[in-house]
Amino acid sequence: MKRNVLIIGAGGVAQVVAHKCAQANDRLGDLHIASRTLAKCEAVIASVQGKGAMKVPGVFAAHAVDAMDTGAVAALIRDTGAQIVINVGSSFVNMTVLEACIETGVAYLDTAIHEDPAKICETPPWYGNYEWQRRERCAQAGVTAILGVGFDPGVVNAYARLAADDHLDRVHSIDIVDINAGSHGRWFSTNFDPEINFREFTGTVYSWQNGVWQENAMFEVGQVFDLPVVGPQKAYLTGHDEVHSLSAAYPEADVRFWMGFGDHYINVFTVLKNLGLLSEKPVVTAEGLEVVPLKLVKAVLPDPASLAPDYVGKTCIGDIVRGVKDGAAAEVFIYNIADHKEAYEETGSQGISYTAGLPPVAAALLIADGTWDVGRMVNVEDLDPKPFLNLLNGMGLPTRIRDAAGDRALVF
Amino acid sequence: MKRNVLIIGAGGVAQVVAHKCAQANDRLGDLHIASRTLAKCEAVIASVQGKGAMKVPGVFAAHAVDAMDTGAVAALIRDTGAQIVINVGSSFVNMTVLEACIETGVAYLDTAIHEDPAKICETPPWYGNYEWQRRERCAQAGVTAILGVGFDPGVVNAYARLAADDHLDRVHSIDIVDINAGSHGRWFSTNFDPEINFREFTGTVYSWQNGVWQENAMFEVGQVFDLPVVGPQKAYLTGHDEVHSLSAAYPEADVRFWMGFGDHYINVFTVLKNLGLLSEKPVVTAEGLEVVPLKLVKAVLPDPASLAPDYVGKTCIGDIVRGVKDGAAAEVFIYNIADHKEAYEETGSQGISYTAGLPPVAAALLIADGTWDVGRMVNVEDLDPKPFLNLLNGMGLPTRIRDAAGDRALVF
């Protein structure tokens, strides 16, 4: 049993985490949120109070912290008495926050892989570069660290595990498909931090096929998927965190990640990339100023959090899992449909933040009640998916399945 | 009679100026080149020496100068004994260099309108904002200042004057068309300083029509022109310097400037502009660094000077002048065709730099021999075009005409 949550980060995802923690503060205890900028944390709490989201009267406090400073994070954990840290800050702070959790013996959750600001697309499996090197220390310290427990990675890992456990005897392939069929009404915007968004697409696209790492370029391989609710959608083979853990869990299966992109996004991305404006390496202007192009691009693009009020439409994210069942070829699509407007009305964030921010709160609840408090470092597919998906069903991200028997809700 | 030339600037255009001055140093005397960076000046002189371009043995010396500092430029003029200054530096230094010429009583030539780094597309006529405010002082000091004596503005102003003087009784319209049908082989590049290039297209497009300033947006008005050598080419109504002086000289005529653009250029421009990356106003990154987006874009794009070795194809720049001759409607197209590869072989610069850099040297020769040493500030259409065009015929930019009588060379 663990209580008291410290949220690291104060962006759109953190706002969803805050709302969802508040809605369950009877089970989670005191809530704290910390980021570099105190005012952003206070704005998140104001949004929570504005919606009357706290289930019972309780603590929700804002803190300023430099999350790159392990000592500062550890001190904050001790000061707040937090036993669960939900890290939804920049991907650059994962390891310093994890170290603070190991040092203080509290549970750690994140939603995206650690990144070094100076490197893009390191060698696969990505988790091997930073996270998994700390597996033993987590086990020794009895620290529960759940890696990548957003939607994708996260819920889609649970979907893969569920398909393998319950729906197929053998798994041949896991194709994760992420479609955002929503519209933000801006000329161009990324749906989350542009720096992280573009970094995902500038490096090598790794997929796991025929038991080896396959390398492609972004937008090199595309196909149309005909999906529930959102209809036919073009998606492209994309590098993504979950490929790097699912390929270890299911090495016999092909593991691919597909992300939907419109032609407009691809055009803007292509122009910026080909001009060198997505580079993380500094260039020097004629005036002698050293500038990282990607950081300037981030500065001129809309703040993704600002898109929420006008965002309409739906997302469809799920796993097409193919294999053998009772001796015959079989396929299931396990998925969720989320709605941008509903997400905004509930939490003040759009659907992309909603799908990413709700799952770590479900995971925190499973740590709080002991179900997932495993005392070691895991990826989501290492855990029993059913209590997690059941919680999500009730919290706003219901799971559905489409297979030979039709399309229906999945409840356990 | 004036002698000794000081070139301000050391880019691709300056390199052409240097080569062409060297080829005529028997008439121009000592040659000097100055820019912020001494090494760039030395590289230009090395190129001149490498081609053995000096017609007779003589001085060609490099100097470092801050051209924004009038006192420093005046001191350099005195030290070098230059009586003619050819300013092909950044458009931001025109007024400080002109002031130095007025102070020292020497002739001044430039090829583009003065710009304030902090402003874009000021009210028309543009020359009224800076240059023409100094007309009286030039006249009082007896200083010959020839504004905008590149190709466009410059040669095209002489073409307009020639059409009005010799080919039409009344002029109804002057349409200047600038087509670069060459190919530099890069994914994207501007042909001259990106900062100046993009600034031309981000503001209001002014044209002079029906006796008033007409305002349009860039790429709003386009048409296909079927031109000699380069064939049918799409060009767009564009703001440009010469419209702002020719409209004063020929107020009864419509004066428009058309520049050719491919779809790829327009797409890249549109993406950069719509994202805010062409702004001259600083933005602040998440890290607190203040950056002018346009200056970063300049830093990531190819140096236009680096395009020269691979540039192939031709430019076609000229004036379609319509009006009345002997009581009937008449039209002439007076134009030049330049070749990128030939320009490079002669001067180490590509055709765009060649067409811009050769005319001010012809003008300098006309100042040196007294023909154009008028002792006041003028635009090119204020001067007799024939000696100028005759010189250009011999120097590498021959004039042709296409009218009812056919297509032929124009020699006087």
Side-chain angles (χ1 to χ4, degrees):
Chain A
M1 301 291 291
K2 286 196 165 65
R3 279 176 72 83
N4 307 333
V5 174
L6 170 62
I7 303 164
I8 300 285
V13 176
Q15 174 145 321
V16 175
V17 172
H19 276 264
K20 286 296 178 181
C21 283
Q23 292 172 18
N25 74 326
D26 55 330
R27 286 168 285 166
L28 292 174
D30 294 349
L31 305 179
H32 298 270
I33 181 166
S35 82
R36 191 164 45 180
T37 313
L38 186 65
K40 291 180 74 175
C41 298
E42 290 169 340
V44 169
I45 294 174
S47 163
V48 168
Q49 306 291 9
K51 298 270 188 196
M54 300 284 278
K55 185 165 183 190
V56 297
V59 170
F60 205 149
H63 308 267
V65 76
D66 174 4
M68 299 289 275
D69 178 350
T70 292
V73 177
L76 186 60
I77 290 169
R78 289 192 188 97
D79 288 351
T80 56
Q83 294 181 299
I84 301 171
V85 172
I86 300 179
N87 171 26
V88 285
S90 148
S91 299
F92 304 145
V93 307
N94 287 11
M95 288 306 100
T96 45
V97 174
L98 175 59
E99 286 296 336
C101 291
I102 295 173
E103 187 181 320
T104 54
V106 306
Y108 170 87
L109 302 93
D110 67 29
T111 64
I113 207 149
H114 181 74
E115 293 195 50
D116 180 329
K119 295 180 187 165
I120 279 199
C121 200
E122 299 176 278
T123 47
W126 290 345
Y127 286 107
N129 297 314
Y130 302 100
E131 286 82 352
W132 290 349
Q133 294 179 13
R134 289 156 177 86
R135 268 178 175 164
E136 234 174 274
R137 292 181 48 231
C138 284
Q140 282 164 1
V143 162
T144 299
I146 306 181
L147 303 174
V149 65
F151 204 100
D152 45 336
V155 177
V156 297
N157 304 49
Y159 289 168
R161 166 82 183 259
L162 185 75
D165 284 2
D166 284 16
H167 297 272
L168 297 167
D169 300 324
R170 271 214 323 277
V171 175
H172 289 161
S173 64
I174 302 167
D175 286 285
I176 299 154
V177 186
D178 179 331
I179 301 293
N180 174 17
S183 166
H184 50 59
R186 306 295 181 90
W187 191 80
F188 182 83
S189 178
T190 56
N191 289 304
F192 54 97
D193 185 348
E195 196 172 352
I196 303 300
N197 181 274
F198 286 129
R199 285 172 65 103
E200 276 191 1
F201 312 137
T202 45
T204 305
V205 170
Y206 290 109
S207 59
W208 181 257
Q209 301 191 71
N210 306 312
V212 295
W213 289 107
Q214 175 85 26
E215 298 186 17
N216 290 94
M218 192 63 209
F219 303 122
E220 182 186 341
V221 184
Q223 64 170 286
V224 173
F225 294 87
D226 195 358
L227 301 178
V229 183
V230 299
Q233 297 278 347
K234 182 95 184 252
Y236 295 83
L237 198 63
T238 306
H240 226 246
D241 306 1
E242 50 271 53
V243 175
H244 297 258
S245 64
L246 287 169
S247 56
Y250 303 98
E252 310 290 313
D254 290 345
V255 184
R256 291 171 288 249
F257 184 91
W258 305 84
M259 189 168 280
F261 291 94
D263 291 344
H264 178 60
Y265 182 100
I266 295 174
N267 180 48
V268 171
F269 173 86
T270 303
V271 167
L272 294 177
K273 177 164 185 280
N274 284 356
L275 296 186
L277 287 166
L278 299 186
S279 173
E280 80 288 4
K281 300 205 163 52
V283 298
V284 179
T285 70
E287 295 73 26
L289 188 67
E290 196 173 88
V291 184
V292 174
L294 184 52
K295 291 186 184 292
L296 176 74
V297 168
K298 173 176 173 170
V300 299
L301 290 182
D303 175 357
S306 74
L307 306 175
D310 305 317
Y311 226 124
V312 293
K314 296 186 188 293
T315 64
C316 175
I317 315 174
D319 299 21
I320 301 167
V321 187
R322 295 189 179 91
V324 176
K325 177 71 177 175
D326 300 330
E331 173 183 324
V332 296
F333 180 50
I334 305 179
Y335 69 98
N336 166 263
I337 301 288
D339 183 273
H340 288 290
K341 199 170 162 55
E342 289 173 13
Y344 178 66
E345 283 167 3
E346 183 188 342
T347 65
S349 286
Q350 33 84 342
I352 309 288
S353 300
Y354 191 85
T355 55
L358 193 153
V361 181
L365 286 164
L366 294 174
I367 291 175
D369 74 9
T371 312
W372 270 14
D373 193 11
V374 292
R376 59 191 173 92
M377 174 182 282
V378 290
N379 292 82
V380 174
E381 61 270 33
D382 300 325
L383 299 164
D384 180 3
K386 290 179 188 172
F388 182 52
L389 299 179
N390 252 347
L391 263 184
L392 295 176
N393 278 337
M395 289 172 74
L397 291 175
T399 298
R400 296 186 65 84
I401 187 168
R402 183 177 75 176
D403 61 10
D407 187 318
R408 62 206 180 274
L410 261 191
V411 188
F412 308 100
Chain B
M1 301 291 289
K2 286 195 165 68
R3 279 178 73 85
N4 306 333
V5 174
L6 170 61
I7 304 163
I8 302 285
V13 176
Q15 174 145 322
V16 175
V17 172
H19 276 264
K20 285 296 177 181
C21 283
Q23 291 172 17
N25 75 325
D26 54 332
R27 286 168 284 168
L28 292 173
D30 294 349
L31 305 178
H32 298 271
I33 181 167
S35 81
R36 190 163 46 181
T37 312
L38 186 66
K40 291 180 74 176
C41 299
E42 291 170 340
V44 169
I45 294 176
S47 163
V48 168
Q49 306 291 8
K51 298 269 187 198
M54 300 283 277
K55 185 165 182 191
V56 296
V59 170
F60 205 150
H63 308 268
V65 75
D66 174 4
M68 299 289 275
D69 178 349
T70 292
V73 177
L76 187 59
I77 291 170
R78 290 193 186 96
D79 288 352
T80 55
Q83 293 181 297
I84 301 170
V85 173
I86 301 179
N87 172 25
V88 284
S90 147
S91 300
F92 304 145
V93 307
N94 287 13
M95 288 307 99
T96 46
V97 174
L98 175 58
E99 287 295 337
C101 291
I102 295 173
E103 187 181 321
T104 54
V106 307
Y108 170 87
L109 302 94
D110 67 29
T111 63
I113 207 149
H114 181 73
E115 293 195 51
D116 180 329
K119 294 180 187 166
I120 278 197
C121 201
E122 299 176 274
T123 48
W126 289 345
Y127 286 107
N129 296 315
Y130 302 100
E131 286 83 352
W132 291 348
Q133 295 179 14
R134 289 156 177 87
R135 268 177 175 164
E136 236 173 273
R137 291 180 50 228
C138 283
Q140 282 164 2
V143 162
T144 299
I146 307 181
L147 304 175
V149 64
F151 204 99
D152 47 335
V155 178
V156 297
N157 304 50
Y159 288 169
R161 167 81 183 258
L162 184 74
D165 284 2
D166 284 15
H167 297 273
L168 297 167
D169 301 323
R170 273 216 320 280
V171 175
H172 289 161
S173 65
I174 302 167
D175 286 284
I176 299 153
V177 187
D178 179 333
I179 300 293
N180 174 18
S183 167
H184 50 59
R186 305 295 181 91
W187 190 79
F188 182 82
S189 178
T190 56
N191 289 304
F192 54 98
D193 184 349
E195 196 172 353
I196 304 300
N197 181 275
F198 286 129
R199 285 172 64 105
E200 277 191 1
F201 312 137
T202 46
T204 304
V205 170
Y206 290 108
S207 58
W208 181 257
Q209 300 192 68
N210 306 310
V212 295
W213 288 106
Q214 176 86 25
E215 299 185 18
N216 289 95
M218 191 63 209
F219 302 122
E220 183 185 341
V221 184
Q223 63 169 287
V224 173
F225 294 87
D226 195 358
L227 301 177
V229 183
V230 299
Q233 297 279 346
K234 183 95 183 253
Y236 295 82
L237 197 64
T238 306
H240 225 246
D241 306 2
E242 50 272 53
V243 175
H244 297 258
S245 64
L246 287 169
S247 57
Y250 303 98
E252 310 290 313
D254 290 345
V255 184
R256 292 171 288 249
F257 184 91
W258 305 85
M259 189 169 277
F261 291 94
D263 290 344
H264 177 60
Y265 182 100
I266 296 173
N267 179 47
V268 171
F269 174 85
T270 303
V271 168
L272 294 177
K273 177 163 186 280
N274 284 356
L275 295 185
L277 286 167
L278 299 185
S279 174
E280 80 288 5
K281 301 205 162 50
V283 297
V284 179
T285 70
E287 294 74 26
L289 188 67
E290 196 172 89
V291 183
V292 174
L294 184 52
K295 291 187 183 291
L296 176 73
V297 169
K298 174 177 173 170
V300 298
L301 288 181
D303 176 356
S306 74
L307 307 174
D310 305 316
Y311 226 124
V312 294
K314 296 188 188 293
T315 63
C316 174
I317 316 176
D319 299 22
I320 301 167
V321 187
R322 295 190 180 90
V324 175
K325 178 69 177 174
D326 301 330
E331 173 183 326
V332 297
F333 181 49
I334 306 179
Y335 70 98
N336 165 263
I337 301 287
D339 184 274
H340 287 290
K341 200 170 161 57
E342 288 173 12
Y344 178 66
E345 283 168 2
E346 182 187 342
T347 66
S349 284
Q350 33 85 343
I352 308 287
S353 300
Y354 191 84
T355 55
L358 193 153
V361 181
L365 286 165
L366 293 174
I367 292 175
D369 73 10
T371 312
W372 270 13
D373 193 11
V374 292
R376 60 193 172 93
M377 175 182 282
V378 290
N379 291 85
V380 174
E381 61 271 33
D382 300 325
L383 299 164
D384 180 3
K386 289 178 189 170
F388 182 51
L389 299 180
N390 252 348
L391 264 184
L392 294 177
N393 277 337
M395 289 174 72
L397 290 175
T399 298
R400 297 186 64 83
I401 187 168
R402 183 177 75 175
D403 61 10
D407 188 318
R408 61 205 180 276
L410 261 192
V411 188
F412 307 100

